[in-house]
Amino acid sequence: MRKIGIIGMGNVGSALAHTLISQGVADSYVFIDTNESKSQADALDFEDAMANMKSFASITVNDYAALADADIVVSALGNIALQHNAGEDRFAEFPFTKQEVKSVSKRLVEVGFNGILLVITNPCDAVCALYQHYTGLPKARVFGTGTLLDTARMKRALGKAFSVHPKSVSGYNLGEHGNSQFVAWSQVTLKGQSIMALTTEEEREALNLAALKGGHTVFYGKGYTSFGIAASATRLIEAIFTDSKEVLPVSSYQESYQTYLGYPCVIGREGIVETPSLQLTAVEYQKLSASARLIASKVQSALSEA
């Protein structure tokens, strides 16, 4: 029996639930939200949908005790209204989410949850750090979607520019799932060729901006993002359940930087299995270090206030 808990049934949580249930990823789900009528309605809506689906799953609503034996708990809580800020800064949600994370962590510890905690909640990297601190779970079992979605946006932009499928692009966005992220161009290939030989610096700058601003474009168009992040989380969940040992850029704890940030890791049944070492350029190392310092400072500030 595969069981998944989703904490936060807003636009992202419900989109993730739809993707997972429609694909038959798990046998049992636990929906938790402070708006209980919303999570109850979602559960009923999915139960109605199952009559016309190939898969079936049981759904429990707002019962933290039911998370005790969950394989994976996904944190999708947030306050999307706070993202309407002039700086387009994902840390705008932090005053809200850092309090919620502390409360949710306490509940998870109380029920004895010992599975994998997958974080979508923004700011993803800092929230991962707080969850790990408050729950005491091993760092390998607390990680976030991080730059997996940003990497997908980079691949989408490159795919469109070169009229190929995004899966024809390999490479990573690294660092914060936020404004200090960057495309590690030294790692990017298109149809097996280094992107450095196929583009100018000016073109790469434009593509980097397209990846960085992709989420903002979606957000300002419909008021939230949902499908892209749901697909990212689903891919990670499938990698966990199948023990695929797939290398994916996630928000993970990096010992060399003493903080969580987006970096490629091997994902398997136990969570983070291994962290490969990338050979980056000097400029890319500088950007990664700067992003790490920003995240670490925000986490330290949050913990000192707690």
Side-chain angles (χ1 to χ4, degrees):
M1 289 283 289
R2 293 175 172 179
K3 180 187 278 192
I4 297 172
I6 301 176
I7 301 176
M9 289 301 295
N11 297 308
V12 172
S14 56
L16 174 61
H18 178 266
T19 304
L20 295 171
I21 291 171
S22 63
Q23 293 183 11
V25 174
D27 308 290
S28 178
Y29 296 87
V30 182
F31 294 169
I32 291 181
D33 197 283
T34 52
N35 184 347
E36 186 162 353
S37 62
K38 167 64 164 62
S39 49
Q40 290 282 7
D42 274 332
L44 183 59
D45 205 3
F46 279 120
E47 288 168 357
D48 289 343
M50 286 177 206
N52 290 307
M53 285 182 172
K54 294 180 180 179
S55 59
F56 179 83
S58 63
I59 301 174
T60 302
V61 176
N62 274 30
D63 182 2
Y64 267 93
L67 296 176
D69 61 347
D71 298 286
I72 302 168
V73 166
V74 181
S75 173
L77 61 87
N79 185 345
I80 194 65
L82 297 176
Q83 284 300 322
H84 288 276
N85 65 91
E88 297 181 336
D89 185 1
R90 287 189 178 90
F91 276 100
E93 282 193 76
F94 205 28
F96 172 81
T97 55
K98 67 184 179 183
Q99 298 300 327
E100 293 297 305
V101 166
K102 188 174 184 180
S103 175
V104 168
S105 296
K106 181 179 179 181
R107 300 293 297 275
L108 291 175
V109 170
E110 287 173 348
V111 302
F113 170 70
N114 196 38
I116 291 175
L117 182 52
L118 178 60
V119 178
I120 296 175
T121 297
N122 279 323
C124 186
D125 309 285
V127 168
C128 283
L130 294 189
Y131 267 125
Q132 195 282 320
H133 175 81
Y134 290 132
T135 64
L137 288 167
K139 294 182 178 72
R141 294 215 300 271
V142 181
F143 57 97
T145 46
T147 52
L148 179 56
L149 177 54
D150 304 301
T151 298
R153 288 168 175 154
M154 176 269 289
K155 292 180 178 181
R156 179 258 302 156
L158 265 173
K160 282 190 173 183
F162 285 88
S163 299
V164 297
H165 195 290
K167 288 185 178 180
S168 298
V169 181
S170 298
Y172 311 107
N173 279 43
L174 304 179
E176 176 203 357
H177 176 56
N179 291 340
S180 67
Q181 63 159 288
F182 63 96
V183 181
W185 292 115
S186 65
Q187 307 298 308
V188 178
T189 63
L190 188 145
K191 296 187 291 184
Q193 299 181 65
S194 170
I195 198 65
M196 302 294 284
L198 301 173
T199 57
T200 65
E201 183 176 353
E202 184 178 1
E203 288 171 333
R204 290 192 294 275
E205 288 178 0
L207 289 163
N208 188 86
L209 186 63
L212 174 63
K213 296 297 185 181
H216 300 306
T217 303
V218 174
F219 174 78
Y220 288 115
K222 68 178 191 178
Y224 57 92
T225 62
S226 56
F227 303 135
I229 188 60
S232 297
T234 299
R235 187 175 183 185
L236 291 172
I237 290 167
E238 289 177 333
I240 294 165
F241 278 145
T242 61
D243 197 28
S244 67
K245 306 295 198 301
E246 187 174 3
V247 179
L248 296 168
V250 296
S251 181
S252 55
Y253 187 80
Q254 298 297 310
E255 288 288 349
S256 57
Y257 294 101
Q258 296 289 291
T259 192
Y260 275 83
L261 52 78
Y263 199 88
C265 295
V266 179
I267 308 298
R269 188 67 184 86
E270 299 305 314
I272 304 293
V273 177
E274 181 186 349
T275 301
S277 180
L278 299 180
Q279 296 302 307
L280 304 175
T281 67
V283 171
E284 289 168 347
Y285 277 122
Q286 290 171 4
K287 289 181 178 180
L288 192 59
S289 295
S291 192
R293 288 194 297 272
L294 171 66
I295 296 164
S297 68
K298 296 287 189 179
V299 172
Q300 188 57 46
S301 177
L303 290 176
S304 66
E305 294 170 4

